[in-house]
Amino acid sequence: MFSLEKCLFKFFTQQVGFCLCNYWTEGTLFFLSETAPTSAYSSPARSLGDTGITPLSPSHIVNDTDSNVSEQQSFLVVVAIDFGTTSSGYAYSFTKEPECIHVMRRWEGGDPGVSNQKTPTTILLTPERKFHSFGYAARDFYHDLDPNEAKQWLYLEKFKMKLHTTGDLTMDTDLTAANGKKVKALEIFAYALQYFKEQALKELSDQAGSEFENSDVRWVITVPAIWKQPAKQFMRQAAYQAGLASPENSEQLIIALEPEAASIYCRKLRLHQMIELSSKAAVNGYSGSDTVGAGFTQAKEHIRRNRQSRTFLVENVIGEIWSELEEGDKYVVVDSGGGTVDLTVHQIRLPEGHLKELYKATGGPYGSLGVDYEFENLLCKIFGEDFIEQFKIKRPAAWVDLMIAFESRKRAAAPDRTNPLNITLPFSFIDYYKKFRGHSVEHALRKSNVDFVKWSSQGMLRMSPDAMNALFKPTIDSIIEHLRDLFQKPEVSTVKFLFLVGGFAEAPLLQQAVQAAFGDKCRIIIPQDVGLTILKGAVLFGLDPAVIKVRRSPLTYGVGVLNRYVEGKHPPEKLLVKDGTRWCTDVFDKFISADQSVALGELVKRSYTPAKPSQLVIVINIYSSEHDDVSFITDPGVKKCGTLRLDLTGTSGTAVPARREIQTLMQFGDTEIKATAIDIATSKSVKVGIDFLNY
């Protein structure tokens, strides 16, 4: 195979905006032989002895959205899956009725005071590792198992965060079930997506009165915008394995970024669909002087009264809130979920309401799971870390019960709460602790230095409101600090609105903190159905993927090339002498830089020619980095992330010009990046998505 980065001569003029075939006439084309000089560094350009490719043209950037449109196939319905860390669900809309968004059927089961329009992201496998159930059904079945039998079953919850926290994510990455056994992450995600696929198709078939085919559906899956590229690709691979789409029909599946989806939905809001927290002008009768808890309680009552209706009507134009916006106005979306908090900054383009991303998505692992971790740390402080670890392994179902009990009390935390919160300890916790330590739970509480947690004779931990609020503090402080940093950026100055969305946005403590910190800077808005904002926005995105017109590139992309060696500029270890010519190897030649604005459908085009006309296989390797200041493909953090392999065998009878033109195109501005290579003489082409998992 012949590799682009090994012998790609740097011959680009710095002009952008046109494409000329400037044939390279100076110098000699050559083979990189096995006996090329070696250096202290491992150089991809020297280790492979293949024929090179030389440029024909400068880089060319063109906005080519029309070519995209022709590839779009028609679908009868868009189904969006909001795959959350703590809860998940789906919604759909028929393409002929885009103003109607239908939220999935009500789930069986549920917890007191918790909306069950979404279901817990929990999955249960049999001892034979076969899929058994998902959501409430999985949790309830696992709860009812005999403790000894439960040890054989594989129960997983909140496993989505593994994709964010794993630095070297691959297709073989494992997850750990509650019983400590390992299982392939790809299998678990595929099982979950397959479950939603079957549920959605069944509901659609029941509604239509006839069998609904998967080919009629465009699928949308939500992911956090701050996820690194391997995690986003992993979700697509899991969806392929689940049968939602296939690599051959990749357009059937769209990966939606969660804060983008929320932003798209927020554009449609009417005044009665939102609560305003800020001290700015009142909206919908709520002002900054109202208590946060009171305003949101009224909103939840409104939702409960309308819960039987699973159909939401959205404006076919932008909503009433946008009537106050002018061309170029900016707003921030804070997506606070179970695992992560995502921040994105958008600018409105009127009159269509198209969106432009002003600053690349930021955030971190500051979701409501952080409160759970603080509670676990508190338990370790009282009962000992060794006991808690053993209890989780020996009594996994009871540990799940304990965290469910904590979840319901966590939702009752509020800034103005005065009475204690009681958390029920499972009997097996009390019993196992006595066997493990030789004394009672009550004794442990008395001996601990934790004054704000007491023992109740009803078998409960009694937490003071201050104790519960303290569990929230580290996570909320991280969110506020991150927002403060964001507001320091020039792109985020003069922001008009801050939309607080996601499941964690229901927490009055978070609402109060955001209001106190930013209420005098911008208007803070919470949609009433805050937990479904992303889900409904993802449906709208599937109906019109072109609504986000400009994004920021999360990474720098480029290829490895050879440059003429310049003494004093290039490192000596990069010197390669061939046929009397001095070359600098491994130069990183950028296609696009991190945080650079790219329009939807924007293409970077470049043309090359094989060093040997008889060359029949051409391989173009693509590299990426999180940094902008990249000089060489061997720099730290540079990763090979894509390969275009163009096989020209079988074209020997075709008249080939003396300089065969191979055109490469990289398409940016979408949530995923695509690359294409075309042999101009034969029109042979190959397409590839950037691959972060297999290199």
Side-chain angles (χ1 to χ4, degrees):
M1 294 195 300
F2 309 98
S3 184
L4 174 63
E5 76 272 8
K6 287 171 290 175
C7 210
L8 182 63
F9 298 93
K10 173 73 171 170
F11 185 71
F12 295 113
T13 65
Q14 297 306 308
Q15 298 160 310
V16 175
F18 59 93
C19 184
L20 299 174
C21 290
N22 295 327
Y23 290 96
W24 190 56
T25 54
E26 61 174 335
T28 306
L29 300 179
F30 55 86
F31 288 86
L32 290 178
S33 69
E34 296 286 337
T35 57
T38 58
S39 72
Y41 294 169
S42 173
S43 170
R46 297 177 182 181
S47 60
L48 305 170
D50 296 335
T51 307
I53 302 171
T54 181
L56 280 175
S57 70
S59 62
H60 176 48
I61 298 179
V62 61
N63 211 355
D64 194 22
T65 52
D66 292 340
S67 63
N68 249 2
V69 175
S70 62
E71 293 182 11
Q72 302 294 330
Q73 56 188 106
S74 59
F75 299 97
L76 298 180
V77 66
V78 169
V79 178
I81 300 172
D82 180 7
F83 199 119
T85 302
T86 54
S87 61
S88 300
Y90 67 87
Y92 58 92
S93 179
F94 295 97
T95 52
K96 290 185 178 179
E97 295 180 317
E99 69 280 358
C100 296
I101 299 175
H102 308 273
V103 178
M104 66 231 153
R105 294 168 171 161
R106 288 169 60 85
W107 301 97
E108 294 301 321
D111 302 318
V114 179
S115 168
N116 63 346
Q117 287 191 277
K118 290 166 77 173
T119 193
T121 308
T122 54
I123 193 168
L124 183 64
L125 305 188
T126 67
E128 295 75 36
R129 296 175 177 258
K130 301 295 183 186
F131 175 80
H132 180 272
S133 49
F134 186 91
Y136 287 116
R139 203 185 70 183
D140 294 346
F141 187 92
Y142 186 64
H143 171 273
D144 293 338
L145 285 171
D146 177 87
N148 290 323
E149 190 181 358
K151 294 176 187 176
Q152 306 305 315
W153 289 67
L154 285 81
Y155 178 84
L156 297 101
E157 61 178 356
K158 302 167 185 172
F159 49 85
K160 179 184 171 185
M161 276 298 285
K162 180 77 171 183
L163 300 194
H164 179 70
T165 56
T166 303
D168 54 347
L169 184 68
T170 70
M171 305 288 272
D172 295 321
T173 294
D174 287 328
L175 297 174
T176 304
N179 60 2
K181 293 183 179 178
K182 303 285 187 182
V183 61
K184 295 295 179 196
L186 189 66
E187 288 181 25
I188 296 301
F189 280 86
Y191 276 142
L193 291 172
Q194 186 175 3
Y195 170 80
F196 280 114
K197 172 193 167 189
E198 291 170 358
Q199 293 289 316
L201 288 178
K202 186 176 187 307
E203 181 170 343
L204 289 167
S205 298
D206 291 347
Q207 190 164 328
S210 59
E211 197 71 20
F212 222 90
E213 298 294 334
N214 186 63
S215 57
D216 296 328
V217 179
R218 159 163 272 170
W219 296 96
V220 182
I221 299 175
T222 63
V223 301
I226 59 164
W227 267 13
K228 296 190 184 302
Q229 299 301 320
K232 295 174 185 176
Q233 183 185 336
F234 187 95
M235 287 298 284
R236 177 170 284 276
Q237 294 301 321
Y240 288 161
Q241 187 162 316
L244 274 68
S246 65
E248 297 74 31
N249 192 21
S250 61
E251 299 295 324
Q252 189 177 2
L253 171 66
I254 298 176
I255 300 296
L257 307 182
E258 289 167 3
E260 279 193 359
S263 178
I264 292 165
Y265 177 69
C266 287
R267 294 178 322 138
K268 305 280 190 177
L269 287 174
R270 302 192 61 129
L271 292 180
H272 70 272
Q273 296 173 315
M274 65 185 77
I275 309 296
E276 178 156 7
L277 299 183
S278 58
S279 54
K280 301 275 185 178
V283 171
N284 197 25
Y286 299 105
S287 67
S289 60
D290 294 329
T291 64
V292 173
F296 206 78
T297 299
Q298 292 179 53
K300 290 200 282 190
E301 281 303 315
H302 177 82
I303 294 168
R304 288 194 189 100
R305 287 196 299 271
N306 293 279
R307 183 151 290 158
Q308 295 307 315
S309 172
R310 295 183 301 107
T311 299
F312 294 82
L313 298 178
V314 295
E315 300 289 313
N316 55 15
V317 292
I318 56 178
E320 290 169 311
I321 191 72
W322 300 105
S323 62
E324 303 177 35
L325 286 176
E326 299 173 356
E327 176 74 27
D329 276 350
K330 308 168 187 176
Y331 63 93
V332 175
V333 176
V334 181
D335 170 24
S336 46
T340 57
V341 166
D342 259 346
L343 313 177
T344 193
V345 185
H346 279 159
Q347 187 175 48
I348 190 80
R349 287 180 167 185
L350 299 174
E352 300 89 354
H354 291 150
L355 302 175
K356 175 182 180 180
E357 186 179 28
L358 288 182
Y359 189 75
K360 67 179 180 180
T362 61
Y366 317 133
S368 62
L369 282 187
V371 185
D372 297 354
Y373 296 145
E374 289 299 317
F375 177 62
E376 186 175 332
N377 290 339
L378 177 64
L379 293 177
C380 290
K381 190 174 180 180
I382 297 170
F383 303 107
E385 187 175 349
D386 55 341
F387 166 73
I388 294 298
E389 289 304 313
Q390 277 299 304
F391 180 71
K392 287 162 72 173
I393 295 169
K394 299 294 186 182
R395 301 287 189 272
W399 174 255
V400 171
D401 287 347
L402 175 56
M403 294 310 294
I404 291 170
F406 173 71
E407 177 68 26
S408 66
R409 305 320 298 144
K410 180 174 80 173
R411 290 172 179 269
D416 53 355
R417 187 180 180 99
T418 56
N419 56 317
L421 297 108
N422 293 329
I423 300 167
T424 303
L425 285 181
F427 172 76
S428 59
F429 184 99
I430 299 168
D431 181 60
Y432 190 71
Y433 183 78
K434 191 163 188 176
K435 292 176 180 174
F436 191 88
R437 290 277 189 240
H439 56 252
S440 68
V441 165
E442 185 179 1
H443 177 82
L445 276 162
R446 281 202 310 268
K447 291 294 184 184
S448 74
N449 295 321
V450 181
D451 297 329
F452 42 77
V453 180
K454 305 296 183 185
W455 176 247
S456 163
S457 57
Q458 286 84 20
M460 298 179 181
L461 295 178
R462 289 177 66 84
M463 293 185 68
S464 70
D466 288 344
M468 179 62 83
N469 295 358
L471 300 182
F472 280 77
K473 191 175 187 307
T475 301
I476 290 178
D477 285 352
S478 295
I479 295 171
I480 298 301
E481 182 182 350
H482 204 90
L483 267 169
R484 286 193 202 282
D485 290 344
L486 182 67
F487 270 77
Q488 297 300 316
K489 308 293 181 187
E491 301 92 336
V492 191
S493 61
T494 66
V495 161
K496 202 159 190 175
F497 293 104
L498 184 153
F499 289 98
L500 191 58
V501 304
F504 196 24
E506 293 185 4
L509 289 168
L510 176 59
Q511 294 171 21
Q512 185 195 52
V514 173
Q515 178 186 6
F518 306 104
D520 60 343
K521 294 182 174 63
C522 58
R523 294 171 62 180
I524 300 168
I525 306 290
I526 303 182
Q528 283 188 351
D529 52 340
V530 64
L532 298 176
T533 302
I534 293 162
L535 185 55
K536 291 188 283 188
V539 173
L540 294 174
F541 182 62
L543 291 167
D544 181 16
V547 67
I548 309 285
K549 291 297 184 185
V550 179
R551 287 186 174 86
R552 295 274 178 162
S553 176
L555 297 173
T556 296
Y557 292 94
V559 295
V561 302
L562 292 180
N563 248 347
R564 290 294 184 122
Y565 187 84
V566 178
E567 202 74 45
K569 176 185 176 183
H570 295 133
E573 62 270 13
K574 295 294 183 184
L575 174 64
L576 173 67
V577 180
K578 189 66 180 178
D579 296 336
T581 304
R582 293 157 62 85
W583 299 99
C584 179
T585 64
D586 305 331
V587 176
F588 186 100
D589 184 43
K590 292 180 190 174
F591 273 63
I592 206 159
S593 297
D595 202 31
Q596 181 176 335
S597 284
V598 283
L600 182 66
E602 193 167 286
L603 295 176
V604 176
K605 292 184 180 180
R606 291 181 180 174
S607 292
Y608 310 105
T609 189
K612 288 182 65 177
S614 59
Q615 197 168 318
L616 295 178
V617 178
I618 296 162
V619 174
I620 300 169
N621 289 319
I622 304 164
Y623 296 88
S624 69
S625 172
E626 293 183 11
H627 308 291
D628 184 29
D629 55 342
V630 182
S631 300
F632 300 98
I633 60 175
T634 52
D635 285 355
V638 176
K639 291 185 65 176
K640 185 175 169 184
C641 63
T643 297
L644 285 163
R645 187 179 188 275
L646 189 59
D647 189 347
L648 303 179
T649 55
T651 61
S652 54
T654 307
V656 177
R659 290 275 184 167
R660 188 170 202 155
E661 182 180 356
I662 307 298
Q663 192 176 81
T664 62
L665 306 91
M666 285 188 69
Q667 180 180 310
F668 298 92
D670 206 342
T671 56
E672 296 172 285
I673 296 164
K674 302 177 180 69
T676 306
I678 305 168
D679 176 31
I680 300 301
T682 62
S683 296
K684 267 200 168 188
S685 68
V686 61
K687 294 183 180 182
V688 69
I690 303 301
D691 188 345
F692 291 90
L693 291 173
N694 297 308
Y695 293 103

